[in-house]
Amino acid sequence: MLDDVWIVTAALAVTLFVATGFAVRTRQFARITTLERFAGTAILVRSGKVAELSADAEHLLALRKGKPVAQALQREFEGSGLAEALARAETTGEEAELLCHSTTGTPYLAQLGPRGALIRLVLSDVSALADTRLTQDPEPTPPRRDPVHRLLDSAPLLVWERDGKGGVLWADGRIGSDTAGVGAAEVAAMVARHPANAAPAPSLGPRSPSLAVRLDIARPDGQRIPLQISEVATEEQGRLGFAVDASGALTAERSLTQFVQTMTETFAHLTVGLAIFDRDGALALFNPALVTLWQLDPTWLARKPHLREILDNLRAGRRIPDLRDYHDWRTRLLALLDDVGSADYEELWTLGDGTTIRVLARPHPQGSLAFVFDDVTERMRLEQRNRHMDDLIHSTLDCLGEGLAVFGANGTLRYVNAAFHEIWHTDETIMAPQTHVSDFCTLARGLTVDTDIWDRIATFATGEGAREVLTARITMGSGRILGGRFAPLPDGSTMAVFADVTDSERIAAALQDRNEALEAAEQMRAAVLDQISHRLRTPLNTVFGFGELLQNPRFGTLNERQESYVSGVLEAASQLLDTVSEVTELASLQIDPQEGEEPGQSVEDVLAMTVSLLEKRAIENRIHLVLDLQGSVGLLDIAPARLRQIVFNLAADAIHRCGRGGEVRLIARRIDTLVEILTSETVTPQPGSEQPRIEIRSPTFFLVRRIVAEEGGVLQVDVANEDNGGDTSERLRVVCRFPEPLAPTVP
């Protein structure tokens, strides 16, 4: 009796051990692919509709080809979860087996699985197999002791025994409650129908299971119970079977599958090559980027070659650096496998085609070594270009004559060029890279006369003050003058530029002194001209007046000699007056136009200014000077000083030619694309001649004509008839014609 108990106990222990070992394994089983080889109700489903079905399926579910399957399953197997399992199989391609009950109470074994683009559903009636356990007379079995019964009743374990023909000899155990669980008799009946489609279990020794399968049992209340089932052959050619709850294993497998899929997708999208080697040095995992980088056959890599073989193939394809001692280098890499816990490898591989690869090797928790291959060719080239550009910029800045310094956002010095050291007499030790702007301001304050500016510069560089561009004129204690400019940069830094403007300041001061001297000389020249005009012309006019009185018979008759003397006096006075006028005009022409003076004075303003200057002279000569502006003229592309010179000399020459009591008109007008500036004066005919005198030989006229020609204009002289209230008179006109003005003014 004790031997029997020990045998039963040992069998149960082996059974529990095998069940635990196979509870976490998943296998795919070979399936029958055609409807003709099926013994049962079969349906092929595409997109939720019937693609093909057997006659039994058409009779059982009242279906036809092309009709929805889910509605028929819900109607015939209400609450069994079969329709949901079909939808899940179409979405994920997951295989499933369920024990369902129809509305008539008939138990069916439902098998779901993908077949190409279709889903195959097989419904097998297992009612006859379930009844076999009740009707078949089981063979006598050895008596079992109460502890074994209690163990089977309380443990989550189903146990049964079948004979060589598949009949259930006995079954015991239940998983779950009486209403929502599953019993050993039901599972044994299903297994009796299942062996033909089951895969053989792996060999674990003489007592290895001959069958290993997972079934998903669906209860009428909708609950699903996954079971891991195993059977062991007995000496009587029968089978001893057991089943355990596989819910935990199923959850773990799904989590593991999801994790593997996530990791695979992540590795597939990496741009760096990843290779993981197991503890034996074989390639366990790699991503597509590694295939592209190594330029090796992915099929060959899928065979899990050793690290040594991979290195040899990479050397043959010149995908590793050209090495003087390749074998020593490979030995050092392979030595990483001997102590993976402390493996730490990092190196840059420069290949023959110019490619640069950064290689990292680190220990991997689930393997031996994890290698990362990163193509850093473009990064290295970019860094090289940046370094070259920095060197070029620094070399360029060092060649500048202006001192340049850049202070960071925190006020520390970031860059200074050679000219800065030369201007401030500093060196690299005084202006070190981390020198603060306040230290520089302290140094500069002791070298300059104006010290208030340095407090503003310190707050400007540190961002405490306004960040507008700041300029300053700095006087050194040595007498030199610096021009300073401080500008904010986009990153918060401050650029300070210093230029030695001592010579420029001295030249500017000299030019200013010269300008003041020229202005004083001009004032003196004007005063001299005024004195010549007033002091000489007034007495000459008196001589002319008294000479003419002496020639007048009303005041007495002169003899021939006296008449000759008076005529000589008048002629000499006339010559002296002409000489004074020419000297005055020539002195007026010495006004040189200012070089570089831009056009900016309108023609109207120039004519008005000329009239105001010559008005006194016209009154003295008893000439009526008139300004006649005929419309808006605007600007001319002529330097204002030269334009004033042209107009002034034209008007002055006209006043000089015109006789006493005459009229001189200063006219400006615009005709089409030309601008005309002209003087119009009364024509005095020669005594005894009906034609006016139109020959002009004064030096002023020729000078004006030359200036007009230099400015692109034309100077002409003509005689025009004018109608003055019915009286026709002739007037001499001197006309200057210039091209179209730059911009007409608004009247």
Side-chain angles (χ1 to χ4, degrees), residues 125-407:
D125 188 351
V126 295
S127 58
L129 295 176
D131 294 341
T132 302
R133 182 180 65 86
L134 303 177
T135 58
Q136 191 175 19
D137 186 15
E139 295 181 2
T141 59
R144 292 170 293 177
R145 296 179 59 84
D146 290 340
V148 177
H149 284 286
R150 290 197 299 271
L151 176 63
L152 294 176
D153 291 339
S154 60
L157 178 67
L158 306 179
V159 183
W160 65 86
E161 185 178 0
R162 296 192 294 118
D163 58 16
K165 298 180 180 180
V168 179
L169 300 179
W170 58 270
D172 200 353
R174 186 174 188 83
I175 295 178
S177 62
D178 295 338
T179 58
V182 60
E186 297 176 275
V187 176
M190 295 174 59
V191 173
R193 181 71 176 84
H194 197 277
N197 299 329
S203 176
L204 298 177
R207 302 296 294 176
S208 296
S210 59
L211 174 69
V213 68
R214 178 174 292 172
L215 291 180
D216 199 2
I217 309 299
R219 305 303 303 162
D221 59 356
Q223 182 181 3
R224 300 178 62 192
I225 304 176
L227 298 177
Q228 182 66 38
I229 301 172
S230 300
E231 282 193 344
V232 180
T234 62
E235 296 177 354
E236 294 81 9
Q237 303 298 322
R239 292 177 180 273
L240 182 64
F242 59 89
V244 294
D245 189 353
S247 300
L250 181 62
T251 302
E253 290 171 0
R254 289 176 179 174
S255 299
L256 181 60
T257 301
Q258 184 178 4
F259 174 76
V260 171
Q261 290 177 350
T262 302
M263 293 298 294
T264 303
E265 293 177 359
T266 302
F267 291 158
H269 289 86
L270 288 178
T271 58
V272 298
L274 177 66
I276 299 177
F277 294 87
D278 60 20
R279 298 186 182 277
D280 297 327
L283 182 63
L285 178 66
F286 65 94
N287 65 340
L290 187 72
V291 177
T292 304
L293 195 63
W294 278 355
Q295 299 179 6
L296 295 179
D297 184 9
T299 305
W300 180 75
L301 293 175
R303 297 173 186 170
K304 299 184 177 181
H306 194 272
L307 177 59
R308 180 184 295 102
E309 301 176 63
I310 294 176
L311 293 177
D312 292 341
N313 280 344
L314 290 177
R315 183 192 183 193
R318 302 194 64 185
R319 302 304 298 170
I320 62 174
D322 294 331
L323 303 168
R324 179 176 301 178
D325 191 348
Y326 165 73
H327 296 285
D328 179 68
W329 178 80
R330 185 184 64 180
T331 302
R332 286 190 289 108
L333 274 182
L334 295 176
L336 297 174
L337 299 172
D338 299 335
D339 188 10
V340 297
S342 60
D344 189 3
Y345 174 82
E346 181 174 353
E347 191 176 2
L348 284 178
W349 291 4
T350 302
L351 308 186
D353 59 356
T355 304
T356 303
I357 301 175
R358 181 169 176 260
V359 184
L360 298 174
R362 297 290 186 270
H364 190 269
Q366 302 299 327
S368 177
L369 280 177
F371 279 87
V372 177
F373 299 84
D374 187 9
D375 189 347
V376 295
T377 305
E378 291 300 326
R379 189 186 312 167
M380 297 293 291
R381 291 176 181 172
L382 181 59
E383 291 178 358
Q384 184 178 5
R385 285 197 297 267
N386 288 339
R387 287 195 298 269
H388 176 71
M389 184 61 67
D390 289 342
D391 294 341
L392 180 61
I393 292 175
H394 290 169
S395 301
T396 304
L397 295 178
D398 284 338
C399 294
L400 293 177
E402 294 82 3
L404 175 66
V406 177
F407 296 93

Side-chain angles (χ1 to χ4, degrees), residues 541-575:
N541 290 334
T542 303
V543 172
F544 269 112
F546 284 109
E548 290 176 354
L549 289 176
L550 291 175
Q551 285 182 337
N552 193 338
R554 291 184 300 173
F555 297 98
T557 303
L558 300 177
N559 57 30
E560 183 176 353
R561 180 174 291 183
Q562 291 174 338
E563 182 70 30
S564 174
Y565 291 160
V566 172
S567 298
V569 170
L570 291 177
E571 183 178 356
S574 177
Q575 291 177 358

Side-chain angles (χ1 to χ4, degrees), residues 638-689:
I638 303 175
R642 295 184 71 88
L643 180 61
R644 292 193 296 268
Q645 187 176 4
I646 293 171
V647 175
F648 179 85
N649 287 290
L650 279 178
D653 204 21
I655 293 173
H656 177 67
R657 288 192 305 269
C658 186
R660 291 176 177 274
E663 181 184 64
V664 174
R665 289 180 175 272
L666 187 57
I667 304 171
R669 60 192 178 189
R670 182 178 180 184
I671 302 176
D672 296 333
T673 59
L674 296 176
V675 171
E676 288 186 352
I677 300 175
L678 63 145
T679 59
S680 176
E681 59 190 83
T682 305
V683 177
T684 304
Q686 291 288 350
S689 174

Side-chain angles (χ1 to χ4, degrees), residues 393-406 413 415-428 431 480 496 498:
I393 292 175
H394 290 169
S395 301
T396 304
L397 295 178
D398 284 338
C399 294
L400 293 177
E402 294 82 3
L404 175 66
V406 177
L413 181 66
Y415 175 78
V416 60
N417 68 346
F420 183 92
H421 292 308
E422 183 178 353
I423 290 174
W424 291 100
H425 301 291
T426 58
D427 53 22
E428 290 77 5
M431 295 297 293
R480 291 188 306 150
F498 299 95

Side-chain angles (χ1 to χ4, degrees), residues 558-671:
L558 300 177
N559 57 30
E560 183 176 353
R561 180 174 291 183
Q562 291 174 338
E563 182 70 30
S564 174
Y565 291 160
V566 172
S567 298
V569 170
L570 291 177
E571 183 178 356
S574 177
Q575 291 177 358
L576 180 58
L577 183 60
D578 291 340
T579 301
V580 171
S581 298
E582 290 178 3
V583 170
T584 304
E585 298 302 333
L586 288 175
S588 300
L589 293 177
Q590 298 305 313
I591 305 175
D592 295 330
Q594 298 180 10
E595 295 294 335
E597 189 177 6
E598 297 293 335
Q601 192 172 15
S602 65
V603 176
E604 293 89 338
D605 294 340
V606 173
L607 267 63
M609 181 181 66
T610 302
V611 170
S612 63
L613 292 175
L614 296 176
E615 188 174 8
K616 180 179 179 181
R617 184 182 303 182
I619 293 174
E620 290 177 353
N621 293 332
R622 298 178 184 178
I623 296 173
H624 187 206
L625 181 60
V626 179
L627 175 61
D628 186 3
L629 300 176
Q630 300 179 3
S632 176
V633 178
L635 304 177
L636 276 177
D637 191 13
I638 303 175
R642 295 184 71 88
L643 180 61
R644 292 193 296 268
Q645 187 176 4
I646 293 171
V647 175
F648 179 85
N649 287 290
L650 279 178
D653 204 21
I655 293 173
H656 177 67
R657 288 192 305 269
C658 186
R660 291 176 177 274
E663 181 184 64
V664 174
R665 289 180 175 272
L666 187 57
I667 304 171
R669 60 192 178 189
R670 182 178 180 184
I671 302 176

Side-chain angles (χ1 to χ4, degrees), residues 437-468:
V437 64
S438 59
D439 298 332
F440 166 69
C441 291
T442 302
L443 172 66
R445 189 178 288 108
L447 299 176
T448 57
V449 177
D450 302 325
T451 59
D452 296 339
I453 185 64
W454 300 113
D455 294 332
R456 297 173 55 193
I457 293 174
T459 56
F460 180 89
T462 55
E464 300 175 5
R467 296 284 289 173
E468 299 295 334

Side-chain angles (χ1 to χ4, degrees), residues 65-122:
K65 188 175 180 180
K67 294 297 183 178
V69 180
Q71 297 178 359
L73 295 179
Q74 290 176 353
R75 182 180 65 251
E76 184 64 25
F77 299 95
E78 183 179 0
S80 64
L82 183 56
E84 291 78 2
L86 176 61
R88 188 164 51 253
E90 285 190 299
T91 303
T92 64
E94 178 184 353
E95 293 186 354
E97 294 189 359
L98 296 87
L99 181 62
C100 309
H101 291 78
S102 65
T103 54
T104 59
T106 304
Y108 284 88
L109 176 63
Q111 296 173 315
L112 290 164
R115 286 299 176 266
L118 306 177
I119 298 296
R120 188 195 65 183
L121 169 62
V122 178

